[in-house]
Amino acid sequence: MKTFRSSRLQLLDNDTVAAWVFLTPALVLLGVFIIWPIAYLFYLSFTAGIFTSNGIHWVGFKNYWRLLLNSDFWQVIFNTVYFTLGSLIPSLVIPLGIAVLLNRSIAWLSILRSAYFLPSITSLVAAGLGFRWLFQNTGPVNELLKIFSIPEISWLGDTFWAMPVIILFSIWKQIGFNMVVFLAGLQAIPLSRYEAAELDGANGWQQFWHITLPGLRPTLIFATVTTAIFTLRSFEPVYVITGGGPLNSTNLLVYYTYQEAFGQFDFGYAAAVATVLLIVTLLLVYLQLRTWRDE
């Protein structure tokens, strides 16, 4: 009996060693490219100065205090919340509706599925340049408005209209990915539920409300969190289409961080802004994991 227990413990020890051997390369890469940059970012947010011969020096919470007192930062926060909410809801509702319509075994619908997914694999810079061309003062959108006798709109030069253009770009970019996610979720719902509902006399809307949406709850949570993170990290649309203007009306957190770090060379302050963004992102991920665990 003792020999059996000792050999079992030896086996467990060997498995543990083998597990660490296989995990070590991944852990090293994780530490070098994720954990260390995050730790250094957090450290940098408590410093001031630039990477010159004078170096950087510790300033404590001064950068975070500057955030609280900086009106530009609060304008950027408002812009980011506006952009996130304006992008999030349509980026969930529209793909969900498309996925429900395309969730049928008809051959030609595969072409539509591919067409809807194309924006997700299109270069952000190329697509941004395309949107900038579409919405310029002499662009196709204003030419189309002239046909209906609608006055020309300065889409990218007006503080009211510039953000909707960026939001439209974000929605267009996210539709394909979310549609594929919802299609996968729909195909995981047993058909027997719909058949039973039909026998009970439930119409299409009742089936959608009482079967489709509850069955898609984990998928909806995943799509909501990933879409929110996608919008929070948006940089290319602002950089390519508006440059944060006009009058700072489309400046988002990531672009603001870029401006402060590489425009003003205020790396400590930029690190504090990036840390705030990181905390918000981690909270979203935590909420997603917490919800899945509760289910």
Side-chain angles (χ1 to χ4, degrees), residues 4-24:
F4 173 76
R5 289 181 178 177
S6 61
S7 61
R8 186 178 178 183
L9 291 174
Q10 183 66 31
L11 180 62
L12 291 175
D13 291 340
N14 291 338
D15 288 342
T16 302
V17 171
W20 280 108
V21 169
F22 286 115
L23 284 174
T24 297

Side-chain angles (χ1 to χ4, degrees), residues 90-170:
S91 295
L92 295 173
V93 175
I94 297 174
L96 178 58
I98 295 174
V100 171
L101 293 176
L102 297 183
N103 188 34
R104 300 171 183 173
S105 57
I106 301 177
W108 62 271
L109 286 179
S110 60
I111 300 176
L112 289 177
R113 294 174 185 176
S114 301
Y116 282 118
F117 189 71
L118 278 177
S120 297
I121 60 176
T122 304
S123 167
L124 282 168
V125 175
L129 291 173
F131 264 71
R132 184 174 180 177
W133 170 71
L134 286 171
F135 287 95
Q136 62 184 345
N137 291 343
T138 57
V141 175
N142 276 333
E143 293 298 324
L144 181 63
L145 293 179
K146 289 180 182 178
I147 297 176
F148 298 97
S149 300
I150 299 176
E152 178 183 289
I153 298 176
S154 180
W155 297 99
L156 305 180
D158 189 284
T159 56
F160 178 81
W161 289 110
M163 183 61 83
V165 173
I166 303 296
I167 291 174
L168 180 63
F169 176 88
S170 177

Side-chain angles (χ1 to χ4, degrees), residues 39-50:
Y40 187 68
L41 171 72
F42 187 67
Y43 160 75
L44 203 62
S45 68
F46 294 98
T47 65
I50 58 177

